[in-house]
Each structure stands twice: as structure tokens, then as C-alpha cells.
């Protein structure tokens, strides 16, 4: 069979896939990273990566099983068991999977901080800078197709097909290109829908030479749900609500991909709630309110802070992120400061609470600002970040999850930028 014949056969095969996809079961393999004696990364609060990945993988799989009758779900593990990396890819290959999704949790060395959701597909990266993984993946595709030699009369059935011929190399490279193209498409859906459902920072889709991806012979990706080494992300991922959020985000990303590749158009996307989930405030005076999540920030101890009276400020919605740089300089504090003003946020709710309410736990001079229909309550006000962070620590016994926010010209601003400006010691108007 000549080169043109092989290419024609290849093209006809791929052009027929979308038509036939709706008439056959679509198989997705969901891989919960680590397991058993392989704990994966461990957070500051001792949460283990292997437990989070299993929880998210099973919840994600259940949504597919409940909503997509044309999809078969296969798990690389459903319990706390150890599965070798090569076995995970092998499970996908042997089951002729159409898609492979591996779930992991990110981590950084102690002292380093980062936030966000990432997706990886097979390819070269700045870290590896090599194409060895891509070439190995091409050999996997050849090996998986070599199974036809076990079939009776394979020469007649496949018209003299030889997986080691130059013509076949062209076909396999085409197949690999399509798989990588589809993997990138899936990664984009993951970034869009998971970040939308969880409120995690979008760190973008990346490429790397990862074992579970280079050893599999179908489109796939590896997701990093967040940084377990960052305290507030660890707390979020280990919360009761996170399981449902990640499951819905992963499901919606999968559904978008499946619909684009021949799946049923009638299946609905899972509804997602606001990423910042805050319980409603009830008017009863003794009812407890749950505070928002606190990003931990190391800082120096400064003199006592005298918080000022409340003021209403309308702001833009900004994600709460932990700064990597802690300021050490102390600019002069005046009421006419042109720089950022720092406050401690303690509570949030949909009902306005009167001064002296028991939910403020004895704190006076509590202010608030409105943001997206919510009243967000603050104490303290200073251009000195260290003073406000000291106030946060002083009230941590009453509000352990309180955190520092910043405003500039009456508008809520990113806390990282505010601290950088504070550290820079910009001139302050007297």
C-alpha cells in the first residue's frame, strides 16, 4: 500500500469518528493521583494529596455516570490503594479510552506561596526542553496498534498494514498531532470551567513531559487543583463545599469537550454557585456568622492600632491572595495618605448588622462596605500594613479567619499590589 493510500485510509478513519461517536460508548478514564503508600504532597494542616484527589475524582465520575448514559467511566483507583504510574496509563490503553484525565494537587517548598488551578498536556517545556516524551508517546501509539497482528488474516483485513513502515510513521504522527490538539482543547475547557466553579486563580494551560500522559495513547490532561502548601488553598480544598465545586467544574469541562466530539447536545451543564460562598446573616442577635477564608501572611510586630469609625466603600471584586513579599518599612500614616489604606475584614453577609451586635464579639468601631449585594464588615484603618496585620493577630481568637484587605481612593485593590506599594515607601502627602 503506497503512501497516498495510507494517508487516505488515515484521513477517512478520523473523518468518520465524529459521526460514529454518538453511536458508541465514549470511555473516559479518571485517574486519582497517588494513593496507598504514596501520599503525594502534604499540606501545612497535614491534609494529604492522595485523599483530596480521590475525593474529587469520585465526585467527578459520579456526575458523569448520573448525567451521561453514553459515557463509560473507568477509575484507576476507587480506594486508598497504590497504583504505579505505568499501570494508570496501561488501564486507559487496554480499555481503548477516548479520554484520560489525571487529578493532582500542586505544592511548593516551605516558605513559597502560590495560588491557582493549572492544566498540563503532553509536550516540551522550559523545564525539560526535550521532545523525548513526545517521541515516546509516538512509540506507545505504535505499540497499541500492534495488537492487530494477533488478529486472524490481519494482512487482508488491514491491506498489508505494517506499523514499522515509513508510511505508517506518517499516519501515527498524524494521530499523535490530533491527540495533542484535542488535549489542548480539553485543557482550555478545564481552565475555563473549573476556575469558574471554584473561584481559583487561572494559572493557564501548560505543557510538560509527564509520565502518565506520554504513556497513554489518547487525548488527555493532568490537572493541578490548587496549592496544598498554601494554607488558605489547603483549607479550601479540604472544605465540604470544595468537593462539589471541583466536581461540577471538571464535569462541565468534560461535557463541553464531549459535546464537541459527538456527544449528546441535550445534556445540561451543572449549575455553579458564586465562588465566594458566604452564609446569609440572620437577624437574631446571638446567631454566629462564619467568616471568609483567611490568607496567612507573615509580618513584623508593630505598635498598637487605633481603628477609625466605619465608612461605606463601593469596591471592585478582587480575589484574596497571599502576598509573597512582606513589607518591613513603615511610611508615615496620615488621613490624607495617597497610598493604600489597610483594614481587617471579619465577617460578610446579606443583612446589615447594627453596631453593638453580639456577632461582633465586643469589637467597637466596626465599619462595612458593600460588594456584590453583600455587607462586608471591617475593623481598623491604617496606611501601615504591619499595624493592621498586628490587629488581625490580636483579634484572631475571636475571628480566626479574619484577613487583611486594602483600599485606594475608596476602591478595593489587590492586596499584593498594596503591600508592594507599602514596601516601596512611596511619598505620602501630609
Amino acid at each position: 500500500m503506497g503512501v497516498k493510500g495510507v494517508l487516505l485510509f488515515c484521513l477517512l478513519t478520523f473523518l468518520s469518528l465524529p459521526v460514529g461517536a454518538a453511536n458508541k460508548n465514549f470511555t473516559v478514564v479518571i485517574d486519582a493521583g497517588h494513593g496507598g503508600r504514596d501520599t503525594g504532597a502534604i499540606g501545612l494542616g497535614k491534609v494529604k494529596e492522595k485523599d483530596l484527589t480521590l475525593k474529587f475524582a469520585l465526585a467527578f465520575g459520579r456526575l458523569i455516570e448520573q448525567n451521561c448514559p453514553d459515557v463509560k467511566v473507568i477509575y484507576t483507583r476507587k480506594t486508598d490503594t497504590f497504583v504505579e504510574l505505568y499501570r494508570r496509563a496501561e488501564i486507559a490503553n487496554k480499555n481503548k479510552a477516548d479520554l484520560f484525565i489525571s487529578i493532582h494537587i500542586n505544592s511548593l517548598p516551605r516558605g513559597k506561596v502560590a495560588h491557582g488551578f493549572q492544566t498540563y498536556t503532553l509536550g516540551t517545556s522550559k523545564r525539560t526542553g526535550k521532545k523525548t516524551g513526545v517521541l515516546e508517546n509516538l512509540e506507545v501509539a505504535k505499540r497499541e496498534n500492534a495488537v492487530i497482528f494477533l488478529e486472524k488474516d490481519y494482512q487482508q483485513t488491514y491491506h498489508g498494514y505494517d506499523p514499522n513502515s515509513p508510511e505508517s510513521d506518517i499516519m501515527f504522527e498524524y494521530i499523535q498531532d490530533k491527540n495533542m490538539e484535542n488535549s489542548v482543547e480539553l485543557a482550555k475547557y478545564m481552565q475555563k470551567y473549573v476556575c469558574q466553579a471554584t473561584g481559583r486563580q487561572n494559572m493557564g494551560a501548560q505543557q510538560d513531559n509527564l509520565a502518565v500522559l506520554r504513556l497513554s495513547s489518547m487525548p488527555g490532561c493532568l490537572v493541578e487543583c490548587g496549592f496544598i502548601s498554601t494554607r488558605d488553598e489547603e483549607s479550601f480544598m479540604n472544605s465540604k463545599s470544595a468537593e462539589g465545586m471541583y466536581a461540577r467544574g471538571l464535569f462541565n469541562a468534560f461535557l463541553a469537550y464531549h459535546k464537541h466530539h459527538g456527544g449528546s447536545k441535550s445534556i445540561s451543564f451543572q449549575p455553579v454557585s458564586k465562588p465566594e460562598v458566604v452564609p446569609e446573616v440572620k437577624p437574631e442577635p446571638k446567631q454566629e456568622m462564619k467568616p471568609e477564608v483567611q490568607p496567612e501572611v507573615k509580618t513584623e510586630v508593630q505598635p498598637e492600632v487605633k481603628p477609625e469609625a466605619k465608612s461605606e466603600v463601593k469596591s471592585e471584586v478582587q480575589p484574596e491572595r497571599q502576598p509573597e513579599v512582606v513589607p518591613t518599612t513603615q511610611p508615615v500614616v496620615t488621613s490624607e495618605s495617597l497610598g493604600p489604606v489597610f483594614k481587617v475584614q471579619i465577617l460578610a453577609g446579606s443583612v446589615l448588622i447594627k453596631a453593638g451586635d453580639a456577632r461582633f464579639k465586643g469589637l467597637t468601631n466596626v465599619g462595612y462596605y458593600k460588594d456584590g449585594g453583600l455587607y462586608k464588615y471591617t475593623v481598623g484603618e491604617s496606611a501601615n500594613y504591619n499595624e493592621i496585620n498586628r490587629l488581625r493577630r490580636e483579634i484572631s481568637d475571636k475571628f480566626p479567619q479574619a484577613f487583611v484587605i486594602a483600599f485606594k481612593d475608596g476602591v478595593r485593590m489587590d492586596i499584593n499590589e498594596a503591600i508592594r506599594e507599602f514596601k516601596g515607601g512611596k511619598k505620602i502627602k501630609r
Side-chain angles (χ1 to χ4, degrees), residues 121-421:
T121 59
L122 179 66
T124 58
S125 68
K126 292 181 180 179
R127 184 179 64 83
T128 59
K130 298 179 181 179
K131 293 185 178 180
T132 53
V134 177
L135 294 174
E136 185 178 354
N137 182 256
L138 186 59
E139 293 305 313
V140 170
K142 290 182 180 181
R143 185 170 64 249
E144 290 304 313
N145 279 273
V147 70
I148 67 172
F149 290 117
L150 301 178
E151 299 180 25
K152 186 179 179 180
D153 300 325
Y154 75 88
Q155 287 182 327
Q156 287 75 26
T157 304
Y158 297 97
H159 307 285
Y161 162 74
D162 179 3
N164 297 311
S165 68
E167 292 88 353
S168 295
D169 285 343
I170 297 172
M171 183 178 72
F172 283 120
E173 286 176 9
Y174 175 82
I175 293 172
Q176 185 186 50
D177 284 346
K178 291 300 295 182
N179 283 348
M180 293 176 71
E181 180 184 315
N182 290 340
S183 297
V184 170
E185 178 193 349
L186 174 64
K188 290 179 179 177
Y189 289 138
M190 286 291 177
Q191 290 302 132
K192 174 182 177 180
Y193 288 103
V194 176
C195 292
Q196 182 184 88
T198 63
R200 298 301 90 188
Q201 182 178 329
N202 189 333
M203 294 188 72
Q206 317 287 331
Q207 289 189 328
D208 209 342
N209 176 18
L210 301 172
V212 291
L213 298 180
R214 72 172 182 265
L215 296 177
S216 55
S217 61
M218 72 289 302
C221 68
L222 182 148
V223 301
E224 298 278 8
C225 295
F227 288 83
I228 201 169
S229 54
T230 300
R231 189 178 294 278
D232 61 302
E233 288 223 329
E234 177 191 20
S235 299
F236 172 76
M237 290 187 289
N238 196 43
S239 65
K240 291 181 180 179
S241 59
E243 179 180 334
M245 289 182 178
Y246 277 105
R248 289 189 290 274
L250 292 166
F251 174 81
N252 287 344
F254 164 78
L255 189 59
Y257 177 91
H258 186 38
K259 285 184 175 184
H260 189 241
H261 291 271
S264 173
K265 308 291 185 189
S266 62
I267 301 172
S268 301
F269 288 94
Q270 289 289 303
V272 296
S273 55
K274 276 190 171 183
E276 182 185 31
V277 178
V278 183
E280 245 188 52
V281 182
K282 302 292 182 182
E284 292 80 15
K286 292 188 178 181
Q287 183 175 353
E288 196 80 356
M289 288 182 63
K290 294 183 180 180
E292 293 183 15
V293 179
Q294 163 208 352
E296 179 180 307
V297 182
K298 296 180 182 177
T299 187
E300 298 179 349
V301 177
Q302 299 296 330
E304 184 180 355
V305 177
K306 295 181 180 180
E308 297 181 3
K310 70 180 182 180
S311 61
E312 178 166 319
V313 184
K314 292 187 177 180
S315 69
E316 297 178 355
V317 178
Q318 297 286 344
E320 305 300 339
R321 291 180 289 173
Q322 180 175 344
E324 298 181 20
V325 181
V326 179
T328 54
T329 59
Q330 299 178 35
V332 178
V333 177
T334 74
S335 59
E336 299 177 342
S337 172
L338 293 177
V341 174
F342 300 94
K343 302 181 181 184
V344 181
Q345 185 163 313
I346 57 173
L347 294 173
S350 60
V351 177
L352 181 62
I353 307 175
K354 295 181 179 180
D357 191 281
R359 282 166 285 189
F360 293 142
K361 300 181 181 180
L363 293 182
T364 57
N365 295 324
V366 177
Y368 71 88
Y369 66 100
K370 292 188 71 174
D371 181 7
L374 293 176
Y375 294 93
K376 298 187 176 182
Y377 299 89
T378 65
V379 292
E381 182 174 322
S382 174
N384 188 320
Y385 169 79
N386 290 328
E387 287 185 2
I388 289 299
N389 199 52
R390 181 172 184 267
L391 173 62
R392 179 188 65 80
R393 292 200 306 272
E394 289 174 355
I395 65 173
S396 62
D397 57 331
K398 296 179 179 179
F399 298 95
Q401 291 179 295
F403 57 93
V404 177
I405 59 174
F407 294 88
K408 189 171 183 179
D409 299 326
V411 177
R412 176 83 174 271
M413 71 178 295
D414 180 80
I415 189 65
N416 289 316
E417 293 178 9
I419 290 178
R420 280 194 292 269
E421 188 170 328

Side-chain angles (χ1 to χ4, degrees), residues 39-49 107-108 110 228-229 234:
T39 60
I42 300 177
L44 299 173
K46 306 305 179 184
V47 177
K48 297 175 182 177
E49 179 181 0
S107 181
L108 288 174
R110 185 174 291 275
I228 201 169
S229 54
E234 177 191 20

